[in-house]
Amino acid sequence: MSAQTRPAWMEKPRPLTQAAKALALVAVVLLVCVPFLVILSTSLASPEEVVDNGGWVLWPTEPTIQAYRDILDGGIVTHALGVSAGVTVVGTLFSLFSTVTLAYALSRPGVFGGRPVLLLVLFTFLFPPGMIPSFLLVKELGLLDSYGSLIFPVLINVFNLVVLRGFFQSIPDELYEAARLDGAGDWRVLWSVVLPLSKAALAVVGLFYAVAYWNSWFYASLYLESDHWPLQQVLRTYVVAGSGLTDTATSEGTVNAPQTVQMAVLVIATVPILLIYPFLQKYFTKGVLTGAIKS
């Protein structure tokens, strides 16, 4: 194909077009990074500098971690951080086990009651229960003011179930048949054949569950007393509701600006889950698309 007849998208970009793309990319990066920089800088700024700058600091002249020391000094944030970490780890493990086993059962042809169960699961996705029925169910199960109320009502996510089911269906039938000929049962096939081939999908689904548990605050506000709150509910109280934001005296007798405390709590709530993404990013496309296309 000659240069005169090539489609427009095959032409070499003009310098002006390349410059416009570069400017657009820089603008998007700044829009994403500057708010994070402001949050981190404000949390590290001194109380006087925060007040002098109207509550926000782009770059602290005298960085200090006093705000982090204050909120992590055995107080409510420390306890809430432990609650969030425990709920995230335990909830993710329980959800992965439940989702994997149900998805594997629904992916096998000829399973008794498989189609009605699948339709029932999809029905809950289209018509989720309301807040009052969910609260009454949790109350009847005796889960009020217990950490189980943050896990069992959301134990299986339908989207994650469909993704894993599709991924399991994409595994060649010959592998299942070979395992059966070797005398392997369902649990053996799942453990020795299916799971080793599904690491990408399991990593993505596990990350989805972990992020959901870590960021959950709504159910905590419904089912838990304040002394059992996870970190996100404490963060909402500090930043959104404005409760508990009176000036906090430090051990040195100075006073922390409320914005410093807010931003420090926000950083503590955000950074841990952000650190996981780089390690699992390579699994995103393979894990999600494979299951979604097959299903």
Side-chain angles (χ1 to χ4, degrees):
M1 183 179 294
S2 63
Q4 293 77 8
T5 59
R6 287 190 302 178
W9 61 82
M10 296 181 62
E11 295 288 344
K12 183 179 180 180
R14 299 178 181 180
L16 183 61
T17 303
Q18 291 180 329
K21 291 181 179 180
L23 289 176
L25 181 60
V26 170
V28 172
V29 171
L30 290 177
L31 288 174
V32 174
C33 293
V34 169
F36 283 101
L37 178 61
V38 170
I39 292 172
L40 181 61
S41 299
T42 303
S43 69
L44 295 174
S46 62
E48 295 80 8
E49 188 176 5
V50 172
V51 174
D52 293 340
N53 287 273
W56 303 99
V57 177
L58 183 60
W59 192 263
T61 56
E62 298 179 358
T64 175
I65 60 173
Q66 188 61 45
Y68 293 92
R69 291 177 178 174
D70 293 337
I71 62 179
L72 292 177
D73 190 18
I76 185 174
V77 176
T78 305
H79 179 264
L81 182 61
V83 171
S84 291
V87 170
T88 299
V89 173
V90 175
T92 301
L93 293 177
F94 272 84
S95 292
L96 271 178
F97 176 80
S98 303
T99 305
V100 166
T101 52
L102 182 57
Y104 175 72
L106 296 178
S107 67
R108 296 294 84 214
V111 174
F112 177 77
R115 185 168 183 81
V117 172
L118 178 61
L119 294 177
L120 182 62
V121 171
L122 295 178
F123 180 84
T124 63
F125 180 73
L126 298 175
F127 303 97
M131 181 175 61
I132 295 178
S134 299
F135 180 85
L136 294 177
L137 178 61
V138 171
K139 181 180 179 181
E140 290 297 324
L141 293 176
L143 296 176
L144 283 181
D145 202 26
S146 68
Y147 297 130
S149 62
L150 304 181
I151 298 176
F152 294 112
V154 291
L155 189 61
I156 296 179
N157 181 276
V158 178
F159 174 79
N160 295 335
L161 176 68
V162 171
V163 169
L164 278 184
R165 175 178 176 270
F167 196 96
F168 294 162
Q169 288 179 328
S170 67
I171 298 176
D173 293 334
E174 290 77 9
L175 295 178
Y176 290 103
E177 295 174 0
R180 295 292 187 186
L181 291 176
D182 290 338
D186 288 326
W187 286 105
R188 186 66 177 177
V189 172
L190 176 62
W191 182 260
S192 300
V193 177
V194 176
L195 294 185
L197 297 175
S198 307
K199 293 180 180 179
L202 293 176
V204 174
V205 170
L207 180 61
F208 286 166
Y209 275 126
V211 171
Y213 281 117
W214 181 265
N215 291 332
S216 178
W217 62 268
F218 181 70
Y219 291 112
S221 65
L222 291 178
Y223 307 139
L224 298 182
E225 298 292 338
S226 59
D227 56 344
H228 292 160
W229 278 353
L231 184 60
Q232 299 301 331
Q233 177 62 14
V234 173
L235 173 64
R236 180 180 181 275
T237 304
Y238 269 71
V239 178
V240 178
S243 302
L245 290 180
T246 56
D247 292 347
T248 305
T250 65
S251 58
E252 298 178 356
T254 59
V255 175
N256 274 339
Q259 289 84 352
T260 303
V261 177
Q262 292 181 23
M263 297 305 106
V265 176
L266 184 58
V267 170
I268 293 174
T270 305
V271 168
I273 204 67
L274 286 179
L275 296 178
I276 302 178
Y277 273 98
F279 299 99
L280 300 179
Q281 184 179 5
K282 61 181 180 179
Y283 296 115
F284 277 11
T285 302
K286 181 180 179 181
V288 175
L289 289 185
T290 303
I293 293 174
K294 180 65 178 180
S295 59

